[in-house]
Amino acid sequence: MTYANAVLQGVFLGGLYALFACGLSLIFGVMRIINLAHGDLAVLGAFLVWSLTTHLGAGPFVALIPALPVMLIVGYLLHRTVLARSLRGGPLTPLLTTFGLAIVVQNALLQAYSPDVRSLGGAAGGIATGSWRLTDQISLSYLGVLILATAVLVLGGLHLLLRRTAFGREMRATAQDPDTAALVGVPASSVYAKATAIAVATATLAGVFLAVRSTFDASSGPTQLIFAFEAVVIGGLGSLWGTLWGGMVLGVAQTIGATIDPQYSILAGHLVFLIVLASPRGRSLFAFRREATA
């Protein structure tokens, strides 16, 4: 793989990381918490689509049509039954709650589906393997283009939702000051529940693309959570478009590292993340986090 092709493939990989990260960024921007179960919820959505594909014989993108509404409901109920109470317990309680939820979801998936590795690549057909060859060394994969286009559409849609709709104004008002928003008739609990539903649905979308692109199992969630968190931090906490930039930076770092030596792929991404944390930008992010929890 040439470096030019590595950068191109890294941009496509960054689109996948941006999809994983946008729900995490949305939850942090609105509720000021980090959902440690985000990766496992994405894997749960992937298994739901895998089950529909296996039992109904439909393609994974067709199976997404009923799966997304189901995961929207799961996200809404998750907040109403679990997260709403934890938000009243201080900044550490939601972390512990979502950590416990991640363990529950992961073990439930292990019991239901076993530790076997699965993939939706075969069910997706030619879109998972086909590509446009630009030169002898540079190619555009169908799936990579689809993932990147979907990431841009999802982030653009969320941006318009936040900026141009009444619900978006309610979300921004609640994020800035939930008590004041409540005084003018904006119920924070309802806004938080809807934001969680959207975040879980986008995580499901990312989980399905992961399953089509590679393999997944019941323990894949924590790894994707780490990549999503790194993309959020690189791009800026609470910034939706920043997650796309952060995902691309992380993806390009990993593919360039893999070009140098395959064992440097994940390490290169972590090094970029650590460089951002050590920079003035990283210190400002921690200052923002302290202000949010003060």
Side-chain angles (χ1 to χ4, degrees), residues 4 12 17 32 34 128 161 167 177 182 184 187 216 220 228 232-233 241 278:
F12 292 150
Y17 291 158
R32 296 294 188 264
I34 297 173
L161 175 69
F167 175 60
D177 192 334
V184 295
F216 71 103
S220 297
V232 169
V233 171
W241 285 116

Side-chain angles (χ1 to χ4, degrees), residues 20-208:
F20 272 108
C22 69
L24 201 65
S25 181
L26 179 67
I27 289 295
F28 180 84
V30 176
M31 300 167 60
R32 296 294 188 264
I33 67 170
I34 297 173
N35 181 10
L36 297 181
H38 188 76
D40 293 290
L41 291 171
V43 174
L44 173 63
F47 270 111
L48 174 60
V49 171
W50 180 86
S51 297
L52 292 173
T53 300
T54 301
H55 293 96
L56 301 180
F61 301 115
V62 175
L64 259 177
I65 297 174
L68 285 178
V70 170
M71 294 307 291
L72 277 169
I73 295 172
V74 169
Y76 187 89
L77 294 177
L78 177 64
H79 178 82
R80 288 295 192 181
T81 58
V82 178
L83 295 180
R85 295 181 181 180
S86 69
L87 289 174
R88 297 191 290 266
L92 289 180
T93 305
L95 284 176
L96 295 174
T97 301
T98 55
F99 177 71
L101 177 64
I103 294 175
V104 170
V105 171
Q106 191 173 144
N107 281 276
L109 290 175
L110 283 170
Q111 289 294 323
Y113 293 99
S114 79
D116 294 342
V117 174
R118 292 173 172 82
S119 175
L120 289 171
I127 196 170
T129 56
S131 64
W132 294 288
R133 183 159 294 278
L134 303 182
T135 68
D136 291 339
Q137 296 181 327
I138 298 178
S139 61
L140 298 175
S141 67
Y142 297 160
L143 184 61
V145 172
L146 177 61
I147 291 174
L148 182 59
T150 302
V152 172
L153 288 174
V154 169
L155 290 168
L158 288 176
H159 178 79
L160 291 176
L161 175 69
L162 290 172
R163 298 295 176 183
R164 301 292 180 85
T165 67
F167 175 60
R169 289 190 290 272
E170 290 178 355
M171 290 180 70
R172 288 186 284 121
T174 303
Q176 292 177 4
D177 192 334
D179 294 330
T180 303
L183 292 176
V184 295
V186 178
S189 59
S190 177
V191 172
Y192 290 162
K194 292 175 183 177
T196 305
I198 294 172
V200 171
T202 58
T204 298
L205 186 60
V208 171

